[in-house]
Amino acid sequence: MQFDDFYQTIGTFGRYQKMKYFFICLTYLLPPIMVYTWTFTAAIPSFRCQISPDDNFDLEIPKQILERYVPTESQCRQYKSKISLKECQRCYQNINKTYRYNENNEPLKACTSFVFDRTYYESTLVEEWSMVCNRLSFKTLSQTIFFSGYMIGSLVFGILSDRFGRRPILGISFFIITLASFLCAYGPQEDLGFDISYALFVFGRFLLACASRGVALTAFVIGVEIVGPAQRVFSGIVIEYFFALGELILLVFAYMFRTWRLLHATLAVLSIPFLFFYFLIPESPRWLISKGYYDEAEKILCQIAKTNKTEFDSIAYQRLKTEEKKRKAFNSVKGYGCMALIRSKVMLIIAMNMSFQWFVQNLVFYGISQNTGTWLQNPYISFAAGAFVEIIAYGIVHLVLYRWGRKITYCSFVMGFATSALLVVPIQMLMIKGSRGQYVLMFIVNTILKFFASGSYAIIYIYANELFPTQVRNTGIGICSMIARMGAIVGTLSTDFLTRVWLYFPIVVFGVASTIAVIFITICPETLNKPLPQTVDDVEIMGLAFPLGKSKPLTRVKVDVSDDDDDSDENISLKQQSKHDIASL
């Protein structure tokens, strides 16, 4: 008797699971709001150098006067060849045309003050702290620290939720999000100066990232574990719809509140109701069984049976307990956590492969998503287009995963992204620069890239959850997610710095990385219609698709459940026989 076998007897997706899964999906609204707030609060509006103390963007300055200060193309190529022409002309002034004598003998001078277009934003952090041109590193550093918090939060909260349970970690994460949100909104003050305000804001963003990963990671795992094998794809995809819905909720608030502080304060208040989700979401019974908390699991399983109007079979549950105890006794010598991922060759290869896949998908997804506001002139329409494309991608994935399986679908989306990304080169090289045709074609390419990036990002979550066993699932996902944040950091650095060289340079890098990812994913086995593995031994039985041959059907070691004594001669014999069976595979 295995957990999935017993779970079928009380209903794997009855009224209880549907109700609790809906609450879990609602928790997924919060992480995207906290992540993508940066898109609006740290947006870079159109700007230029300030040529006089009373100069502002709305001031009508004759074109011939402005041209006196704007460097020519030849000057930018000669003195600032490492950055694009656009970047040069808005970050440097031609002081030779302003002054007769230049003591430094430099034809171009870096601007120290700027004027910003306020058509779409009344106040952003970029404007308030002048985080453009030579001070762009402050913006990049803040986002890099944020994704470092993502990385640390993924590992820490992943390990903690495997050790102490999914539910308490989820509750703690919501509490930290609320505190960090208020810190970001009210920590930076003009009286404190830039250094202290910046440090407080960055620290708040770091905590926000850690806790957001705690919510996203834990909620996703609970959503997968609370349903049966037949509903794993459903639970893994539908929750992503709520992620995209969270982006649309953010868009509404960002459109209504166009100053960075007011937007942060509003979202901080919005996070308060999520604190009560701790009382609405139960602990994962699958996790309780795997950790030996059989009485607590029995209470939840009885409640599930009662709500689903099914019968709780206490005799079958006792058989499940006995077999799980024997399995734990057998696996106790192998250990759990990070060591379990290392001691098994198959598990190690899968963990390393999944970590690389997550790295690439976060590099691609966040690299593309952070630029959705630049697709069109109006950033709000651009962001909405990106969110709707994401929802469509999840819908397509939902339909094809049942037919094509995980690996083929994933490869198709990643290769689609790689091909579309590399098309940017001929579009930019062969078409008339700045033409309407090029503008329209690039918008189409950007939406296609967002589509493929969103689809592959959703698939890798489901795929990884089905490859890692229950007892180290959150640890494995946490490690993958930690390494994935390095991809998000690289994506941020690429967006901020490579675009200064060539606007579409990052997209080409993303395309090359995706091509490499497709090659490595062929190693992993298919998981469609296979039971969710409970232990590392189950993963070893599943095997690898390449180069060790095709994956084998996942089978379970059956035992006779006559008593609960873990130290009996029968159990010792069972351990020796199971070791022999696995070695022969």
Side-chain angles (χ1 to χ4, degrees):
M1 173 69 69
Q2 299 299 316
F3 181 83
D4 283 333
D5 300 327
F6 176 80
Y7 209 40
Q8 291 285 345
T9 65
I10 61 175
T12 58
F13 201 56
R15 184 171 179 269
Y16 181 92
Q17 287 92 345
K18 292 176 182 177
M19 179 175 59
K20 298 302 181 181
Y21 180 71
F22 177 70
F23 291 144
I24 292 170
C25 287
L26 290 179
T27 67
Y28 233 61
L29 295 172
L30 197 57
I33 292 175
M34 297 306 167
V35 172
Y36 291 117
T37 303
W38 184 254
T39 303
F40 299 100
T41 59
I44 303 180
S46 298
F47 68 93
R48 59 173 172 80
C49 292
Q50 188 178 39
I51 61 176
S52 64
D54 58 345
D55 181 20
N56 61 71
F57 206 91
D58 296 327
L59 186 65
E60 290 292 337
I61 299 178
K63 183 178 180 181
Q64 59 270 24
I65 295 179
L66 284 176
E67 288 179 347
R68 292 172 53 192
Y69 294 89
V70 177
T72 64
E73 183 174 354
S74 61
Q75 286 175 314
C76 287
R77 293 287 178 258
Q78 181 178 0
Y79 299 103
K80 302 295 174 184
S81 59
K82 293 184 179 180
I83 60 177
S84 65
L85 176 62
K86 179 181 178 181
E87 187 74 6
C88 172
Q89 291 181 334
R90 67 181 184 174
C91 293
Y92 292 86
Q93 284 183 332
N94 184 359
I95 59 175
N96 273 357
K97 292 185 179 181
T98 309
Y99 303 100
R100 293 183 179 180
Y101 176 71
N102 178 18
E103 61 181 3
N104 295 322
N105 196 29
E106 293 181 357
L108 299 182
K109 178 184 178 181
C111 299
T112 56
S113 57
F114 307 88
V115 291
F116 293 87
D117 183 6
R118 295 190 176 180
T119 302
Y120 301 107
Y121 307 103
E122 294 181 17
S123 172
T124 70
L125 283 167
V126 167
E127 177 183 353
E128 187 164 318
W129 291 340
S130 297
M131 295 189 298
V132 293
C133 298
N134 293 335
R135 288 175 60 86
L136 182 65
S137 57
F138 287 106
K139 179 177 182 289
T140 304
L141 177 62
S142 176
Q143 194 70 338
T144 300
I145 293 175
F146 177 83
F147 282 117
S148 297
Y150 244 43
M151 180 171 59
I152 294 173
S154 298
L155 179 63
V156 172
F157 284 110
I159 294 175
L160 290 178
S161 62
D162 269 341
R163 177 170 296 183
F164 299 108
R166 312 334 190 187
R167 184 168 173 259
I169 300 305
L170 191 64
I172 292 172
S173 298
F174 281 127
F175 181 73
I176 295 175
I177 283 178
T178 301
L179 289 181
S181 298
F182 279 103
L183 179 60
C184 288
Y186 298 107
Q189 298 293 333
E190 186 176 353
D191 297 339
L192 297 176
F194 169 74
D195 292 338
I196 297 178
S197 295
Y198 181 79
L200 288 174
F201 182 82
V202 168
F203 179 66
R205 290 269 297 166
F206 175 82
L207 293 178
L208 203 60
C210 291
S212 294
R213 285 312 299 163
V215 171
L217 181 66
T218 308
F220 189 92
V221 171
I222 294 178
V224 171
E225 292 183 344
I226 203 173
V227 300
Q231 293 80 31
R232 286 205 303 263
V233 172
F234 175 87
S235 65
I237 293 296
V238 171
I239 198 171
E240 298 292 351
Y241 292 140
F242 284 80
F243 187 92
L245 182 59
E247 296 178 36
L248 295 176
I249 293 173
L250 168 64
L251 177 63
V252 173
F253 283 106
Y255 185 81
M256 293 171 60
F257 307 106
R258 302 196 181 190
T259 64
W260 72 266
R261 192 184 300 275
L262 185 56
L263 179 57
H264 267 293
T266 303
L267 298 179
V269 174
L270 180 66
S271 68
I272 294 176
F274 285 87
L275 295 172
F276 298 96
F277 275 88
Y278 173 81
F279 304 101
L280 299 176
I281 297 176
E283 183 56 86
S284 165
R286 189 185 297 270
W287 177 84
L288 290 170
I289 291 291
S290 71
K291 291 298 181 181
Y293 300 123
Y294 302 112
D295 294 339
E296 293 85 346
E298 184 175 3
K299 293 178 181 178
I300 295 177
L301 293 171
C302 285
Q303 182 62 40
I304 293 174
K306 181 179 179 181
T307 306
N308 291 347
K309 297 181 180 180
T310 57
E311 190 72 25
F312 180 82
D313 191 340
S314 58
I315 297 177
Y317 184 69
Q318 290 300 320
R319 294 179 57 199
L320 172 64
K321 284 172 55 177
T322 301
E323 186 164 335
E324 286 297 326
K325 287 180 180 179
K326 293 179 178 181
R327 290 168 64 86
K328 283 189 64 178
F330 169 66
N331 287 285
S332 62
V333 296
K334 296 189 175 184
Y336 300 109
C338 295
M339 293 304 299
L341 301 177
I342 297 173
R343 290 175 179 171
S344 165
K345 178 182 176 181
V346 173
M347 191 74 257
L348 178 61
I349 292 174
I350 290 176
M352 292 175 62
N353 201 342
M354 283 294 108
S355 297
F356 176 72
Q357 299 298 328
W358 279 51
F359 174 89
V360 173
Q361 291 312 312
N362 277 259
L363 168 72
V364 166
F365 182 79
Y366 287 105
I368 295 296
S369 297
Q370 290 181 88
N371 282 328
T372 53
T374 63
W375 292 359
L376 300 172
Q377 187 175 3
N378 188 316
Y380 301 102
I381 296 178
S382 296
F383 191 85
F388 282 117
V389 168
E390 199 169 325
I391 293 174
I392 294 172
Y394 296 148
I396 298 298
V397 168
H398 193 179
L399 293 175
V400 300
L401 272 183
Y402 288 106
R403 296 185 178 183
W404 296 357
R406 285 34 163 175
K407 190 160 68 173
I408 294 178
T409 307
Y410 178 74
C411 288
S412 300
F413 272 81
V414 178
M415 276 306 300
F417 179 92
T419 304
S420 303
L422 297 178
L423 283 176
V424 169
V425 177
I427 291 174
Q428 292 299 315
M429 296 300 179
L430 302 179
M431 297 187 68
I432 299 175
K433 187 175 181 180
S435 65
R436 180 171 179 81
Q438 187 187 60
Y439 178 80
V440 172
L441 196 56
M442 281 306 304
F443 175 74
I444 295 174
V445 169
N446 279 322
T447 55
I448 292 174
L449 291 176
K450 176 69 172 180
F451 172 82
F452 284 124
S454 301
S456 58
Y457 188 82
I459 297 168
I460 202 63
Y461 260 81
I462 298 172
Y463 200 10
N465 268 275
E466 293 180 342
L467 286 174
F468 286 108
T470 299
Q471 291 177 324
V472 291
R473 182 167 295 116
N474 256 23
T475 300
I477 296 297
I479 292 174
C480 287
S481 190
M482 179 192 70
I483 297 175
R485 299 319 133 192
M486 297 174 63
I489 293 172
V490 174
T492 299
L493 294 174
S494 300
T495 301
D496 288 344
F497 290 109
L498 292 183
T499 51
R500 300 188 72 187
V501 180
W502 184 43
L503 185 61
Y504 302 102
F505 196 0
I507 295 179
V508 176
V509 174
F510 301 157
V512 173
S514 297
T515 304
I516 298 173
V518 171
I519 297 173
F520 282 105
I521 198 61
T522 57
I523 299 174
C524 291
E526 178 58 66
T527 58
L528 178 64
N529 295 327
K530 292 185 178 180
L532 204 62
Q534 289 286 94
T535 67
V536 174
D537 289 334
D538 292 336
V539 178
E540 289 180 337
I541 294 172
M542 185 184 299
L544 299 172
F546 178 84
L548 302 181
K550 296 183 179 180
S551 59
K552 304 174 183 179
L554 193 157
T555 57
R556 307 273 190 188
V557 178
K558 298 294 183 180
V559 296
D560 294 329
V561 287
S562 55
D563 57 63
D564 294 343
D565 186 5
D566 292 340
D567 297 326
S568 65
D569 294 338
E570 179 186 357
N571 287 330
I572 295 174
S573 175
L574 172 65
K575 297 176 188 178
Q576 295 173 346
Q577 181 63 36
S578 299
K579 290 180 180 179
H580 173 74
D581 293 341
I582 292 173
S584 64
L585 292 171

